[in-house]
Amino acid sequence: MKTINSYLMLIASTILLFSCENHNIQLHTIINEDGSCVRQISYSNKMPKEMRDSLWNGKEGDSYPIPDNLNIDTYKKISTEIGKEDTVTSTFMKSFDSVQQMCKETPLQLNGKRLQSNATLEKHFRWFYTEYTFTETFRCLGDSFKLPVTNYADSATVNYWFTGQPNLIEGLSGAEAFEKMSQIETSINKWLNDNYFQICFDFIVSYYDSINNPPVNRERFIQLHDTLSTCIMKNDMNTFDEVDKSFKQFFHSDAYMPFFDENHRFCKELQEKIMSPWNIFMLLFSYTLQMPGKVVDTGIGTNKNGIIYYPITGERLIPKDYIIQATSQVTNIWAYVVTILIILLAIGSWLYRR
């Protein structure tokens, strides 16, 4: 069993894996003036040969697999489009009476569970316009890791690394920024590797009674936690390769090999436990929001022709809750008409008295 060699390699490999399988997931939210809302989810992927043949034969091709990151059982399919290079995009939609109801059926999921989000829609009457403020908060995923990242860096550093805020390299030269980023990466790498080791170690402890002829008893094994961890990482703080050989070298025994033999059930179960928190780095989708009226505030988003774009990745959910907020204004035409009528009535009354 190999470890993740570095943070950058981890991100590159998971994004590559994600882009090859479940890429271009787009979540689009539409807020209506009456408080109701619509959520659309679309995903694109390379079209398998069997689907291409069925489409050529005039069939819909509904057998096209839905990505593991989506749960759209209650959504209605509204379109299937074929793009360049045999890429097919499927779009699903569902209407909701309120934003709270919409969040209960968030189509995005991680490790088989829906992402948790809460939303509010505030409506304020301002006479000439009505102001709408939509807020959706995606729950933090940092507790998926056994060891918290704040044990390795302060909150500001962690937030900057995963979200870009606050900007800790503002005003630094290129060389200074590089040095600071290298220091942060070292801390994050150690956090990732320590979590990897902790998962392996705790798993072995949970099955310790099933180990044949262990070189030490359970109590002694637990006592050796720090020494074993240091031994495994002694060559490079940011990497520890071939954990099975490290265990064998440390204990001079093959007793722990079943945990690293890919054909053994222990290893398969351990791999699942390892991938559970690491799947966070494969969570990547585009979030767009459409508000009623004219958008006046996008929060951390970017407004393009009335559509607000928010970058969302699993990394951004590690340090804290991820908040999407936007404000728009709907002009009350009737208010202008009433105001003009009142002014005309006042002028007419004044002229009548004259």
Side-chain angles (χ1 to χ4, degrees):
M1 176 183 292
K2 304 285 186 176
T3 67
I4 312 302
N5 289 332
S6 72
Y7 180 83
L8 295 180
M9 185 177 295
L10 168 66
I11 301 304
S13 62
T14 51
I15 289 180
L16 177 62
L17 175 63
F18 186 86
S19 63
C20 291
E21 295 183 356
N22 302 333
H23 66 292
N24 290 342
I25 294 180
Q26 299 180 353
L27 184 67
H28 183 55
T29 302
I30 303 173
I31 305 299
N32 299 318
E33 292 184 33
D34 61 359
S36 63
C37 53
V38 176
R39 181 151 271 179
Q40 294 181 355
I41 184 76
S42 62
Y43 61 92
S44 305
N45 211 334
K46 294 288 289 185
M47 193 186 330
K49 182 180 183 302
E50 57 272 15
M51 182 180 181
R52 188 186 311 123
D53 295 340
S54 67
L55 289 175
W56 283 345
N57 294 328
K59 297 180 181 179
E60 176 67 17
D62 286 332
S63 59
Y64 186 62
I66 296 174
D68 293 336
N69 286 355
L70 298 183
N71 184 342
I72 49 179
D73 294 340
T74 61
Y75 282 65
K76 180 181 179 181
K77 188 175 184 179
I78 59 175
S79 68
T80 299
E81 300 177 359
I82 302 176
K84 298 180 180 179
E85 300 180 353
D86 291 333
T87 298
V88 61
T89 299
S90 300
T91 303
F92 296 77
M93 180 188 74
K94 185 169 183 179
S95 300
F96 300 91
D97 295 331
S98 67
V99 295
Q100 291 81 8
Q101 183 186 46
M102 177 182 68
C103 289
K104 293 180 180 179
E105 296 188 39
T106 298
L108 299 165
Q109 64 179 21
L110 181 68
N111 296 324
K113 297 181 179 179
R114 290 185 187 270
L115 289 186
Q116 296 183 24
S117 72
N118 296 307
T120 60
L121 179 62
E122 299 180 1
K123 183 177 179 181
H124 300 285
F125 176 66
R126 308 295 189 191
W127 183 250
F128 288 114
Y129 63 88
T130 301
E131 187 177 83
Y132 295 82
T133 299
F134 171 74
T135 305
E136 184 167 8
T137 303
F138 287 90
R139 182 182 176 275
C140 172
L141 297 176
D143 58 1
S144 299
F145 296 90
K146 286 179 174 290
L147 305 175
V149 65
T150 49
N151 287 359
Y152 298 79
D154 59 77
S155 297
T157 300
V158 172
N159 287 330
Y160 171 69
W161 182 263
F162 291 114
T163 70
Q165 298 295 330
N167 187 0
L168 298 183
I169 62 173
E170 184 177 4
L172 299 181
S173 67
E176 292 168 341
F178 177 79
E179 181 179 1
K180 187 172 187 64
M181 293 298 294
S182 298
Q183 293 173 352
I184 298 176
E185 184 186 5
T186 297
S187 300
I188 299 300
N189 277 330
K190 180 163 177 35
W191 167 66
L192 289 171
N193 285 332
D194 284 355
N195 269 285
Y196 184 98
F197 173 79
Q198 193 64 45
I199 293 173
C200 295
F201 188 87
D202 291 346
F203 185 81
I204 293 174
V205 170
S206 67
Y207 280 99
Y208 211 84
D209 292 339
S210 301
I211 300 176
N212 293 324
N213 300 318
V216 296
N217 59 31
R218 182 201 301 267
E219 290 71 20
R220 180 55 181 163
F221 182 80
I222 295 175
Q223 292 174 357
L224 290 172
H225 174 281
D226 293 345
T227 307
L228 177 59
S229 176
T230 301
C231 177
I232 291 175
M233 300 189 193
K234 66 181 179 181
N235 295 326
D236 188 340
M237 177 176 153
N238 294 332
T239 178
F240 56 102
D241 220 0
E242 299 183 357
V243 182
D244 49 354
K245 293 183 180 179
S246 297
F247 269 76
K248 184 176 181 179
Q249 179 182 2
F250 185 86
F251 290 102
H252 304 287
S253 171
D254 292 328
Y256 305 103
M257 292 306 100
F259 295 97
F260 309 104
D261 180 359
E262 294 184 355
N263 296 319
H264 198 282
R265 67 180 182 88
F266 285 168
C267 182
K268 294 178 180 178
E269 186 177 344
L270 176 56
Q271 287 177 332
E272 291 179 359
K273 288 186 175 295
I274 290 173
M275 286 308 300
S276 180
W278 259 255
N279 283 335
I280 292 175
F281 296 100
M282 289 192 285
L283 182 64
L284 173 65
F285 62 96
S286 171
Y287 186 109
T288 55
L289 174 65
Q290 184 175 339
M291 296 287 290
K294 180 182 178 181
V295 177
V296 296
D297 186 10
T298 63
I300 60 174
T302 302
N303 183 10
K304 297 180 181 179
N305 300 322
I307 304 297
I308 312 172
Y309 294 79
Y310 295 92
I312 299 185
T313 59
E315 290 180 87
R316 286 178 166 84
L317 300 179
I318 290 177
K320 58 182 180 180
D321 293 346
Y322 187 84
I323 301 176
I324 289 171
Q325 187 173 75
T327 301
S328 66
Q329 296 176 351
V330 175
T331 301
N332 297 325
I333 302 298
W334 61 266
Y336 283 92
V337 173
V338 170
T339 301
I340 292 174
L341 290 176
I342 292 175
I343 293 174
L344 292 176
L345 181 60
I347 294 175
S349 299
W350 181 78
L351 292 176
Y352 178 79
R353 288 195 300 271
R354 294 283 294 181

